[in-house]
Amino acid sequence: RITLLSRPGCHLCDTAREVIARVAADLGVPWEERDITRSEADLREYGDTIPVTLIDGVQHDFWRVSEGRLRAALSR
């Protein structure tokens, strides 16, 4: 349900990963992480805005993950 788009060495991605893991565990929601450096299309689309959070494939956040917004979106 949640996808974190990230790249190696991204400090904002490290923070986003912590928030997403905590929220996903609390709510019992599955999540995955996708390294954008493995896809030219992902690099073109998301290279300047990572980390990007997708919920059910739809962009929810970029740069910073708001725990409150993420929880609210997943509770709907």
Side-chain angles (χ1 to χ4, degrees):
R1 188 139 192 233
I2 305 169
T3 304
L4 170 62
L5 303 178
S6 65
R7 81 165 88 202
C10 166
H11 72 281
L12 291 177
C13 299
D14 295 339
T15 303
R17 185 179 304 109
E18 291 173 10
V19 172
I20 290 169
R22 181 172 50 250
V23 171
D26 287 351
L27 299 178
V29 175
W31 74 282
E32 65 182 3
E33 186 168 352
R34 190 166 83 212
D35 179 352
I36 68 165
T37 64
R38 296 180 180 221
S39 163
E40 287 297 320
D42 281 350
L43 273 173
R44 276 192 305 276
E45 187 165 353
Y46 302 109
D48 294 331
T49 57
I50 61 157
V52 173
T53 307
L54 308 177
I55 298 177
D56 295 330
V58 178
Q59 186 171 329
H60 171 72
D61 262 331
F62 64 97
W63 292 335
R64 302 209 186 272
V65 177
S66 163
E67 185 167 342
R69 273 180 32 87
L70 182 60
R71 285 182 186 279
L74 293 169
S75 296
R76 290 187 198 125

